[in-house]
Amino acid sequence: MSVGMKVIIGFHMVSFSLWLIGQTGAVLDYDTVAAWGLQGPRDLLDPVIVEVNRGIGLADTFVMLPLHAAALLGLIRGRFYGLVTSWLVFGMTIYWPTVFWCSQYFYSRAGVVHQPTQPEAVILPAVMMAVAIWGSWYLAKNRSEFE
């Protein structure tokens, strides 16, 4: 297995863990996950934002976790479905930071109580987006390795 493929598999493993803890955890116990810094603290947010975050967390649990699992299994086994589901995960990895940043902008403009955007809330998602863009390109370039 190439180094690039190992990087992509590692990215999916870390990302799966973050989705599981940060998103599924927020559905089950929002305040604990917020205390860990993976969600905005309830006392700094409009109550509607907390419930929207929990709703997104539930949707992510139903959609993103199975896609991550399929991508991991498929890439490890060298199957075509691993390639396709990996692209789906990468697409969502490009999409969710964009939604977050745009929502922060509009919350500010509308005077909605929200947690101010911290530098790490810009840097980490930007790095994840860069990896997703690179990973998508890498898989496209090396797609002949998949059945």
Side-chain angles (χ1 to χ4, degrees):
M1 186 177 291
S2 68
V3 172
M5 198 60 63
K6 289 178 183 176
V7 168
I8 291 169
I9 289 169
F11 174 83
H12 284 321
M13 288 176 161
V14 169
S15 187
F16 177 89
S17 300
L18 289 172
W19 285 100
L20 180 64
I21 295 165
Q23 296 299 85
T24 306
V27 174
L28 302 173
D29 187 354
Y30 187 90
D31 295 318
T32 298
V33 174
W36 295 337
L38 298 174
Q39 293 286 343
R42 186 182 298 269
D43 59 337
L44 297 179
L45 303 175
D46 185 289
V48 170
I49 294 175
V50 172
E51 297 311 313
V52 168
N53 287 350
R54 292 182 71 223
I56 292 169
L58 186 60
D60 287 343
T61 298
F62 292 145
V63 175
M64 289 302 290
L65 292 182
L67 286 176
H68 272 96
L72 280 165
L73 185 62
L75 291 177
I76 290 168
R77 297 171 112 194
R79 303 285 192 231
F80 184 71
Y81 73 87
L83 183 70
V84 172
T85 53
S86 187
W87 278 326
L88 291 169
V89 168
F90 284 147
M92 289 299 296
T93 303
I94 294 166
Y95 175 77
W96 73 259
T98 307
V99 169
F100 171 73
W101 295 326
C102 291
S103 66
Q104 292 294 95
Y105 170 76
F106 282 103
Y107 291 159
S108 293
R109 287 192 45 156
V112 174
V113 178
H114 68 288
Q115 183 178 15
T117 306
Q118 304 297 320
E120 60 272 11
V122 174
I123 296 168
L124 180 61
V127 169
M128 293 183 78
M129 284 178 79
V131 172
I133 292 166
W134 169 82
S136 295
W137 167 82
Y138 184 89
L139 291 175
K141 182 178 173 234
N142 294 287
R143 66 185 172 274
S144 62
E145 295 179 24
F146 296 89
E147 297 175 9

